[in-house]
Amino acid sequence: MKVGDLAGLRFPLTADTGALESFGVHADKQLGLAQALVRESRALTRFRDTLLPALMDGSLRVEDAIA
């Protein structure tokens, strides 16, 4: 599910402001986590795209990185 998919979800309305506030707190945390995971995934992709060619052409070796 993408963040944009949330716009299509329907929730029953409630007058319980405590429930709405609780939902908002939990939803904010989950959306923040999702955004952090997207950033991490992009960073790992850039890291892979930088390292893989060097590993493939032999200009970087795993043994050299361990030492």
Side-chain angles (χ1 to χ4, degrees):
M1 177 178 274
K2 297 178 184 172
V3 174
D5 295 339
L6 293 175
L9 295 178
R10 296 203 172 263
F11 296 96
L13 296 178
T14 179
D16 182 354
T17 57
L20 292 173
E21 186 174 322
S22 178
F23 173 80
V25 168
H26 293 295
D28 283 345
K29 287 180 184 177
Q30 294 304 311
L31 289 174
L33 176 60
Q35 291 169 340
L37 291 172
V38 166
R39 286 191 301 272
E40 181 179 19
S41 178
R42 288 180 180 156
L44 289 170
T45 298
R46 287 191 303 273
F47 191 56
R48 179 205 61 208
D49 291 347
T50 300
L51 287 178
L52 189 58
L55 289 167
M56 296 297 289
D57 71 15
S59 62
L60 178 66
R61 295 175 4 149
V62 174
E63 294 83 12
D64 297 337
I66 293 173

